[in-house]
Amino acid sequence: MPSATLFRRHIAVPTDHGSWVFLLSPLLIGLFAGRSFSVVSLYLVIAALAGFLIRQPVTMLVKVWSGRRGRGDLAPASFWTTLYAAIALLFVAGLVLRGFGYVLWLAVPGAPVFLWYLLLVSRREERRQWAVEVLGCAALALAAPAAYWVGIGRPDPAGWLLWLLTWAQSAASIDYAYLRLRQRGLSGLPAPRERLRLGRTALLLAAGNTIGTIALGLAGFVPRWLFVPYAVQLAEVVRGVARPAVGLKPKAIGYRQLAVSVLFTVLFVLFWRGVSSPA
């Protein structure tokens, strides 16, 4: 089959570019928190990326089978699904042979969420599914403890804390993105009380994350200044509530969200690595 038929970008690579940060942020945080990068860490990174990428061609396969896409997409979708599955299995085998097979249990919770998502795809109901996206981020955030445990060479309770912290940020980020998308559809600038009503959930999540990390820091469970990246996100949410995205293009909203998420990741890594025993 001609290579031009197989190499279709919209089948090989996720089209929702903002989803990358929900994997890469926890993965990078876990790698830096573990303070050690080895060949096994590389195995984990490649396996995680392959597992993330396979969602796109599998989604296309479901769309073909449910009549949403033409049969011409079947061959490339099958090719990329097979390729990503083979890569994932190869490096998963490397993890098992190196004695890190226990991290594979972290992938189990993601299976039912993925199946739920595929069911929604088959019904043309996958768009704007807040619960699925938040649960999906919970599954992706498990990359943080996986990378952390590989780095330190053993399972450790601090990995679960990293998972909770990264998931909390992702959930707040998703809710804020939904808020910005709702705002862009407004016909005009709403009154302050209405702005607050629209952004109430986003404010509560961002403020709860900030207050929670302050409390954890004071209790000695996390570095004292780890609240800073969450405070940055809270400041962005406050700004977004005060200045609704009326008429803004989705790309502009997405780029700003990406910038805030990158800044969050960098600050988290810096402040978590600022102590010798973070948890």
Side-chain angles (χ1 to χ4, degrees):
M1 182 170 293
S3 59
T5 304
L6 297 177
F7 292 94
R8 299 185 184 179
R9 182 179 178 85
H10 71 283
I11 294 178
V13 182
T15 53
D16 50 338
H17 305 299
S19 62
W20 283 91
V21 72
F22 297 122
L23 170 70
L24 295 180
S25 178
L27 188 59
L28 289 172
I29 285 172
L31 288 171
F32 280 99
R35 302 194 180 193
S36 175
F37 191 88
S38 63
V39 173
V40 182
S41 301
L42 184 61
Y43 291 170
L44 177 67
V45 170
I46 296 176
L49 288 174
F52 175 77
L53 288 169
I54 202 173
R55 179 176 68 94
Q56 186 67 13
V58 170
T59 299
M60 287 297 174
L61 284 176
V62 172
K63 288 184 177 181
V64 171
W65 294 333
S66 60
R68 295 182 59 180
R69 304 286 300 191
R71 300 290 295 181
D73 287 337
L74 181 60
S78 300
F79 169 77
W80 288 106
T81 298
T82 304
L83 177 62
Y84 291 145
I87 294 172
L89 288 174
L90 176 63
F91 286 94
V92 162
L95 287 170
V96 173
L97 292 174
R98 290 297 190 98
F100 290 89
Y102 56 83
V103 301
L104 302 182
W105 288 106
L106 295 174
V108 173
V113 179
F114 188 39
L115 291 175
W116 183 14
Y117 168 75
L118 294 178
L119 177 63
L120 292 172
V121 169
S122 69
R123 296 176 176 177
R124 300 175 181 263
E125 299 174 354
E126 75 275 15
R127 293 185 179 275
R128 303 291 178 92
Q129 292 287 345
W130 184 89
V132 176
E133 292 189 27
V134 170
L135 289 176
C137 285
L140 292 175
L142 289 168
Y148 178 67
W149 291 346
V150 167
I152 64 175
R154 68 185 189 282
D156 187 274
W160 294 115
L161 186 56
L162 281 174
W163 168 71
L164 182 61
L165 290 168
T166 52
W167 180 27
Q169 188 273 335
S170 295
S173 181
I174 287 175
D175 194 82
Y176 180 59
Y178 272 89
L179 169 65
R180 298 300 274 174
L181 292 174
R182 288 195 301 270
Q183 289 174 338
R184 70 179 296 270
L186 296 172
S187 57
L189 191 64
R193 180 174 293 183
E194 179 63 13
R195 297 180 213 174
L196 187 60
R197 186 191 69 80
L198 289 172
R200 179 173 53 196
T201 304
L203 284 170
L204 287 174
L205 288 174
N209 288 345
T210 305
I211 295 171
T213 46
I214 290 175
L216 287 172
L218 292 175
F221 289 106
V222 301
R224 185 69 59 89
W225 293 95
L226 193 65
F227 75 91
V228 173
Y230 294 92
V232 169
Q233 187 178 38
L234 175 59
E236 170 61 18
V237 174
V238 170
R239 174 193 173 277
V241 171
R243 299 174 58 183
V246 179
L248 280 183
K249 294 181 178 180
K251 280 189 176 182
I253 295 174
Y255 287 145
R256 187 172 182 90
Q257 283 279 88
L258 177 61
V260 172
S261 295
V262 169
L263 180 58
F264 169 87
T265 303
V266 172
L267 291 174
F268 192 108
V269 167
L270 290 175
F271 285 111
W272 185 275
R273 286 174 61 86
V275 295
S276 57
S277 181

